[in-house]
Amino acid sequence: MPKYYEGKEEDGRACGGVREDLRQCLLESPCVLQENKSPKQCLREGHCRSLQVTFFACKRSMLDTRARFRGRKGY
């Protein structure tokens, strides 16, 4: 189960769970902790890539008119 659901309040925004997990992944990455880079720089370097792709797919599914039948991607 994603870290997002463990003792946290529900975020009412779209793709909130994926957004929170991506944020936590970046803040806990060695790029931020050891190299003292910003999370934005670490994201550009390719850290937490799978969560970034999932977040992009979730945001893209919001624009897809078929999503009202299939549901939003992500969690």
Side-chain angles (χ1 to χ4, degrees):
M1 183 172 267
K3 293 180 184 179
Y4 174 72
Y5 293 109
E6 297 175 5
K8 293 185 180 180
E9 295 179 11
E10 173 119 11
D11 187 8
R13 297 184 293 182
C15 309
V18 181
R19 176 185 283 120
E20 181 66 27
D21 285 347
L22 178 61
R23 184 174 153 259
Q24 281 301 112
C25 178
L26 286 171
L27 291 177
E28 294 172 358
S29 70
C31 178
V32 172
L33 294 176
Q34 295 171 356
E35 298 175 20
N36 295 325
K37 294 182 180 178
S38 71
K40 190 173 186 177
Q41 289 174 331
C42 294
L43 193 60
R44 286 184 183 151
E45 291 177 3
H47 295 276
C48 306
R49 188 70 176 163
S50 62
L51 283 172
Q52 183 183 13
V53 169
T54 305
F55 184 64
F56 174 75
C58 181
K59 293 299 258 184
R60 187 177 65 188
S61 72
M62 291 173 52
L63 299 174
D64 188 7
T65 56
R66 297 175 292 177
R68 49 188 177 152
F69 300 114
R70 295 180 184 171
R72 203 177 279 142
K73 305 265 185 195
Y75 45 88

